[in-house]
Structure formats: C-alpha cells, structure tokens
C-alpha cells in the first residue's frame, strides 16, 4: 500500500511541476507588459512551491514507515512474538542472536540477516525499502532486549 501511495504522490507531484512550469514559462506571460523582475519572481515562487510539495510528499512517505506493522505483516508468521516457528531456539532475543546470528548481536548483523536472509528466512532486500530495512533493524535490536528478551 505504501508503494502505491508513494507512486501516486510522485505522479501527482510530476503533474504539479509540469503545470507550474508551464504557467511560469509560457510565452503568453512574456507578451504582456509585465516587468522581467515580476516574471522571475513568479517563476521562483512557483518552482519553490513545486519543490516544497515534493519534499512534503517525501516526508509523508517516510513517516509511514511503521516497523511494528512491517513485522506483523512480513515476519510474524515465523517470528510471532519474537519466537521462531521454523527453527527452535533461533528467536529474536538478544541471547539467541548472540548464539545463532552470524556476526553476533549487533545492528550490522541484524541488518545483514534482514537484507540477505539465510536458510528458510527469505531475503527482504528488494521487497522492503532501505528505510524500512533500517527501521526494522533498529526495531528488532530494541525488541531483543525488551519485549523479546525472554522468548525461548
């Protein structure tokens, strides 16, 4: 859903930029007796408005990253509650990651596992965005000493 929202937002921003550029740079504006400074000011204001709209859409898309929702949607089937329904003991607790995760319990190793997968765990790179993977890395790291701390 987020990808469709982002795509729609990008298309809407492209249409907005084209319309604003057309209005700002149309030859009918130049044929009127309007000062060059007024035209330049209008062009700058319109381009600034288009840039601001694009920035707002980007911020809205980034704000939509919700690691809890991503986990429930993509990881919860195998890692419900931080456990592991496929390989016993390979949970998302700090102690299990220290024992079983290649590289040990650290953010780099967690991110590598999310991006590349291993064994029955699929690779999420190319499925999740970089922002989503980074958010998931932080979230799993925090949960491993919090909610998932005592998961066996």
């Amino acid at each position: 859903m987020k990808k469709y929202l982002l795509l729609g937002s990008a298309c809407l921003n492209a249409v907005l930029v084209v319309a604003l550029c057309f209005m700002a740079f149309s030859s009918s504006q130049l044929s009127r007796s309007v000062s060059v400074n007024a035209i330049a000011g209008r062009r700058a204001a319109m381009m600034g408005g288009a840039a601001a709209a694009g920035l707002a859409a980007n911020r809205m898309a980034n704000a939509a990253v919700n690691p809890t929702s991503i986990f429930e949607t993509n990881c919860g089937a195998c890692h419900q509650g931080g456990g592991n329904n496929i390989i016993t003991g390979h949970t998302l607790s700090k102690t299990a990651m220290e024992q079983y995760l290649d590289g040990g319990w650290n953010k780099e190793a967690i991110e590598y596992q999310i991006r590349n997968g291993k064994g029955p765990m699929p690779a999420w790179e190319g499925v999740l965005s970089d922002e989503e993977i980074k958010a998931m890395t932080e979230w799993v790291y925090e949960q491993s000493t919090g909610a998932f701390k005592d998961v066996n």
Side-chain angles (χ1 to χ4, degrees):
M1 179 69 181
K2 179 184 169 214
K3 290 181 183 181
Y4 293 117
L5 175 66
L6 188 58
L7 179 62
S9 176
C11 291
L12 184 59
N13 283 330
V15 169
L16 177 65
V17 168
V18 169
L20 291 174
C21 288
F22 179 75
M23 288 171 42
F25 295 103
S26 68
S27 60
S28 64
Q29 292 289 337
L30 297 175
S31 64
R32 294 184 188 165
S33 60
V34 178
S35 73
V36 173
N37 288 339
I39 293 171
R42 185 176 298 139
R43 287 179 184 166
M46 289 181 177
M47 293 306 289
L55 182 60
N58 190 25
R59 285 184 180 160
M60 184 174 77
N62 285 339
V65 174
N66 180 344
T68 302
S69 176
I70 294 168
F71 181 83
E72 290 169 356
T73 303
N74 298 293
C75 315
C78 296
H79 291 289
Q80 186 176 19
N84 190 321
N85 298 330
I86 308 299
I87 304 174
T88 304
H90 291 229
T91 68
L92 300 180
S93 69
K94 177 184 175 187
T95 54
M97 284 194 265
E98 287 172 333
Q99 185 175 358
Y100 298 115
L101 184 63
D102 289 345
W105 179 73
N106 59 70
K107 292 179 184 178
E108 293 80 18
I110 294 169
E111 182 176 341
Y112 184 86
Q113 182 81 10
I114 293 169
R115 286 187 184 281
N116 301 292
K118 182 179 177 189
M121 181 175 166
W124 292 99
E125 188 165 40
V127 178
L128 299 176
S129 69
D130 282 343
E131 292 81 16
E132 290 171 323
I133 290 173
K134 295 271 187 205
M136 286 302 303
T137 299
E138 292 292 327
W139 188 84
V140 169
Y141 186 81
E142 291 171 9
Q143 297 301 312
S144 68
T145 58
F148 300 159
K149 178 181 178 184
D150 296 321
V151 175
N152 293 328

